[in-house]
Amino acid sequence: SRIKPLMREYVEAATNTSIDFSKSPKLTVSNLSLYLPDNSTILKDVSFSACRGQIIGVTGPVACGKSTLGRAFIGEIPYEGSIKVSEHELSELSDYERSRLISYMGHAPELMSDSIRENIQLGEQEDIMPYLQAVCLDEEVEQMPQGADTSAGSSGIRLSGGQQSRVALARTLYNARQILILDDPFSAVDRTTEKEIFKNLRMLAQDKIVILISHRLYLFPALEKVLFLDKGTGVFSTHEELMRENMIYAELYNSQMTGGEQNE
């Protein structure tokens, strides 16, 4: 009942668009503001930009608006200000155009009650093995009774939390558009696996823009830029500059690094 209304071809929309989806876009966010239904402010006047090959980190304290920002890119949250993909304002694009420009993985991704293969392919026929390898899941899948044809179960219940997250990430990479919005894709994996997946993500997305939303800062020194959200505002800078100039960011990073060393 939820999925079938969405399972349709955008034939007419595909013929009416003037966007060249093969061209690498530039993302420019200017004075972006997000509000709750009661008009209370989530984010106010946030600005940042990204271009081909860049991975931009988005982080901040709990409930700072990270996930809400991600949802604004797929049209779930109305916004004030501007989100431009090249010269196109995001709010003015059709659902078809937005779906061809942006891939999104939420922080609580849902899997279908189908095989691992079908959860990744979504009806396409390309080989899934490179994507299972990219998310460090290939060996685990090969050891399953039916391999990639093993059922994930209702909402992925037959898989562990880490496996569910990696299947969802493999699905997003398999169906990757020019802009990838990834909300906590590494939250259920250890640091070693996180580092390996990140290296593979860097290779697969070298011609794309990646917005990496995460509360885990282990990899943030390797990112091109960081958007730090706090108290409804955002600071867009490098990791090194934030470490020098933003005490809250520096405390979050240092506490995680110290805790990680103690756990290893």
Side-chain angles (χ1 to χ4, degrees):
S1 61
R2 291 185 296 115
I3 298 300
K4 282 187 176 180
L6 303 175
M7 300 295 286
R8 64 186 187 276
E9 289 189 80
Y10 293 97
V11 177
E12 182 178 350
T15 60
N16 290 336
T17 183
S18 61
I19 300 175
D20 181 359
F21 298 109
S22 65
K23 185 178 179 181
S24 298
K26 179 178 180 180
L27 176 65
T28 306
V29 178
S30 306
N31 304 117
L32 180 71
S33 296
L34 305 176
Y35 302 91
L36 292 172
D38 62 2
N39 289 325
S40 59
T41 303
I42 302 174
L43 295 173
K44 183 74 173 178
D45 293 332
V46 172
S47 299
F48 65 96
S49 61
C51 57
R52 174 184 175 181
Q54 289 189 326
I55 300 181
I56 306 298
V58 179
T59 193
V62 175
C64 67
K66 300 187 294 292
S67 294
T68 305
L69 174 64
R71 290 167 59 202
F73 283 92
I74 56 173
E76 288 192 355
I77 303 293
Y79 65 86
E80 293 181 2
S82 176
I83 301 177
K84 281 196 172 182
V85 180
S86 295
E87 70 273 19
H88 305 284
E89 185 62 42
L90 194 63
S91 62
E92 297 174 1
L93 298 181
S94 67
D95 289 343
Y96 169 78
E97 290 170 326
R98 192 184 295 111
S99 72
R100 289 294 307 276
L101 289 169
I102 297 173
S103 295
Y104 172 79
M105 174 184 168
H107 71 276
E110 291 188 15
L111 300 184
M112 300 181 294
S113 181
D114 208 322
S115 68
I116 292 173
R117 185 187 309 278
E118 286 298 328
N119 269 284
I120 295 172
Q121 290 180 325
L122 298 179
E124 301 294 333
Q125 298 301 317
E126 186 179 344
D127 183 18
I128 67 170
M129 187 53 65
Y131 303 95
L132 289 176
Q133 293 171 342
V135 300
C136 301
L137 193 59
D138 53 315
E139 294 183 3
E140 293 174 51
V141 169
E142 287 176 354
Q143 294 173 4
M144 293 179 182
Q146 285 82 43
D149 295 314
T150 299
S151 173
S154 178
S155 300
I157 195 171
R158 297 184 63 185
L159 304 178
S160 69
Q163 290 171 336
Q164 290 179 32
S165 178
R166 283 178 286 162
V167 168
L169 180 56
R171 175 174 62 196
T172 305
L173 296 176
Y174 181 96
N175 298 280
R177 304 306 190 190
Q178 297 292 354
I179 299 174
L180 303 181
I181 311 295
L182 306 179
D183 193 346
D184 258 346
F186 311 131
S187 61
V189 299
D190 58 62
R191 277 194 180 182
T192 301
T193 305
E194 178 181 11
K195 188 175 181 179
E196 184 65 22
I197 295 175
F198 179 77
K199 181 181 72 174
N200 297 333
L201 172 65
R202 176 75 77 181
M203 290 296 298
L204 287 173
Q206 57 187 329
D207 61 342
K208 306 182 187 306
I209 294 170
V210 179
I211 306 299
L212 177 60
I213 302 170
S214 181
H215 67 280
R216 294 171 60 166
L217 308 183
Y218 172 60
L219 295 171
F220 273 46
L223 304 185
E224 279 71 23
K225 287 287 190 71
V226 175
L227 175 64
F228 181 65
L229 304 176
D230 185 33
K231 298 179 180 178
T233 63
V235 179
F236 187 54
S237 189
T238 64
H239 168 79
E240 291 76 14
E241 290 172 344
L242 285 168
M243 289 295 291
R244 289 195 303 267
E245 301 172 5
N246 192 297
M247 184 180 300
I248 299 175
Y249 179 85
E251 288 178 351
L252 284 173
Y253 179 79
N254 289 330
S255 65
Q256 290 188 23
M257 295 308 100
T258 302
E261 291 171 359
Q262 291 174 347
N263 293 330
E264 289 177 350

